[in-house]
Amino acid sequence: MRNLWIKMGSLVLVALLCCGIYLFHDLNGSFDYALPKRAVKVIAMIITGFTIAYATVVFQTITHNRILTPSIMGLDALYLLLQTVIIFFLGSEHIVAVNKQVNFVISIVVMIVFALVLYRLLFKKGSQSIYFLLLVGIIVGTFFSSISTFFQVLIDPNEFQIVQDRMFASFNNINSDLVWLALVLVCAIIIYAWRYMRYLDVLSLGREWAINLGVPYDSIVKKMLMIVAIFISISTALVGPITFFGLIVANLSYQFFKTYKHKVLISGAIVMSVIALVGGQWVVERIFTFSTTLSVIINFFGGIYFIYLLLKERKAA
């Protein structure tokens, strides 16, 4: 246990160092202007890292598969479809497209309603295999992506540029009002989800063991899946989709801590996500001079890491 605390403390120090460098490097005396803007970005990255890391670790615990991410449920594809449909039918100058607060709220509501309807239909007749849920999520996500591509082919080229900007997560133009709204939502959900944290260690043993140990398995799984959907909805609506990010930080946390305790695994994944996002954004701004976005870099390395995990699992089998 002592080694776990040492490892966690080291990660926290690195995360604080990354945040400090990002906030105060090369300010040149412009504290009143630059520092508040950087602080909002850091808070947005912490919110994004927290929601994605928590959702991914919980989702992998429920599915008992470490190469799956919540994006397999089709929420990222639904977000892109929603943004495409808004621009295609309403235009880029409509209030839903221009006003980020309205767009943020609509995006979250649509994704959460979709998740609720999906879960309600699949679990309507009682217990349903989680793998059936994943299969439906893959099919629905592919369907949404196909419709998005269809509209993007027909859309005006100038307005397609706006849609294209929303295909990739970006921290460059974060709206401070959205950050504070997202922070309030995340804090409220954390308070609700905290009571179920103690069940995760048992859920990782499997359905039969969890039921035998007195855990109301089906009820807990439904609630945790809803929390996962809400967290992914918030992060996606706030900055955009980051497909492989959760996969990276979750698996790095498993390998680094080598424990079954989810409080440690989730905390470690959150701290690693903050390091990756804040440090990566500093690299994008200072080294690449905004010539690319952080999500492109994450998806590139995440894709390589995903292939590595697949080969590793195949070799172990």
Side-chain angles (χ1 to χ4, degrees):
M1 192 66 182
R2 181 182 178 184
N3 290 334
L4 293 178
W5 283 112
I6 293 174
K7 290 180 178 180
M8 186 66 71
S10 302
L11 285 178
V12 171
L13 288 176
V14 174
L16 292 175
L17 180 62
C18 290
C19 292
I21 292 174
Y22 184 84
L23 286 172
F24 299 105
H25 177 258
D26 199 24
L27 273 178
N28 296 326
S30 57
F31 287 89
D32 295 337
Y33 175 76
L35 189 58
K37 289 185 174 294
R38 293 185 183 183
V40 169
K41 283 187 180 181
V42 170
I43 295 173
M45 286 184 274
I46 292 174
I47 293 172
T48 303
F50 180 96
T51 52
I52 293 178
Y54 182 97
T56 303
V57 174
V58 171
F59 188 77
Q60 291 180 349
T61 297
I62 293 173
T63 58
H64 306 289
N65 193 318
R66 293 186 177 182
I67 62 173
L68 293 180
T69 64
S71 60
I72 200 173
M73 297 306 302
L75 293 176
D76 291 355
L78 177 59
Y79 172 78
L80 293 178
L81 173 61
L82 178 63
Q83 300 305 314
T84 303
V85 167
I86 289 173
I87 300 298
F88 184 84
F89 287 103
L90 302 180
S92 58
E93 297 183 357
H94 194 274
I95 185 173
V96 178
V98 175
N99 192 305
K100 292 185 177 181
Q101 289 91 338
V102 174
N103 189 283
F104 177 77
V105 173
I106 290 177
S107 299
I108 289 181
V109 170
V110 169
M111 286 187 283
I112 291 176
V113 169
F114 163 73
L116 279 171
V117 172
L118 182 64
Y119 297 159
R120 181 60 64 99
L121 290 175
L122 294 181
F123 291 111
K124 186 176 181 180
K125 296 181 179 180
S127 177
Q128 186 62 270
S129 172
I130 191 68
Y131 295 105
F132 181 73
L133 176 64
L134 297 179
L135 177 62
V136 174
I138 294 173
I139 295 172
V140 172
T142 304
F143 177 68
F144 288 157
S145 297
S146 300
I147 299 177
S148 299
T149 303
F150 173 75
F151 283 121
Q152 288 165 13
V153 171
L154 301 177
I155 204 170
D156 181 85
N158 295 323
E159 295 193 330
F160 174 72
Q161 184 65 40
I162 299 174
V163 176
Q164 193 175 37
D165 291 339
R166 298 179 182 180
M167 291 180 180
F168 305 99
S170 175
F171 296 93
N172 297 330
N173 297 308
I174 297 292
N175 187 303
S176 59
D177 293 336
L178 296 185
V179 172
W180 301 124
L181 177 58
L183 183 61
V184 171
L185 292 175
V186 169
C187 289
I189 298 168
I190 291 172
I191 295 173
Y192 172 77
W194 182 256
R195 71 187 74 177
Y196 302 112
M197 181 71 74
R198 57 196 175 98
Y199 292 113
L200 293 176
D201 294 343
V202 182
L203 290 180
S204 63
L205 298 175
R207 175 186 173 86
E208 290 77 13
W209 279 100
I211 293 176
N212 289 336
L213 291 172
V215 174
Y217 182 86
D218 293 332
S219 174
I220 297 298
V221 166
K222 292 176 186 177
K223 291 174 182 177
M224 296 309 296
L225 283 174
M226 198 63 245
I227 292 170
V228 167
I230 294 173
F231 272 163
I232 294 300
S233 300
I234 291 173
S235 65
T236 304
L238 182 62
V239 300
I242 313 179
T243 305
F244 290 106
F245 183 65
L247 178 76
I248 297 173
V249 295
N251 280 277
L252 287 178
S253 181
Y254 299 142
Q255 295 178 10
F256 187 69
F257 291 102
K258 299 183 185 302
T259 181
Y260 68 91
K261 296 181 180 296
H262 279 74
K263 290 183 179 180
V264 176
L265 293 173
I266 292 175
S267 300
I270 291 170
V271 178
M272 288 180 179
S273 67
V274 173
I275 295 172
L277 291 178
V278 177
Q281 185 64 22
W282 184 86
V283 171
V284 167
E285 294 181 8
R286 302 298 171 180
I287 297 179
F288 291 104
T289 60
F290 294 100
S291 60
T292 185
T293 60
L294 179 58
S295 63
V296 172
I297 298 174
I298 290 174
N299 287 336
F300 173 74
F301 288 104
I304 296 175
Y305 190 57
F306 179 70
I307 294 173
Y308 162 75
L309 291 175
L310 287 177
L311 295 175
K312 182 180 177 182
E313 291 291 329
R314 180 181 178 183
K315 185 177 180 180

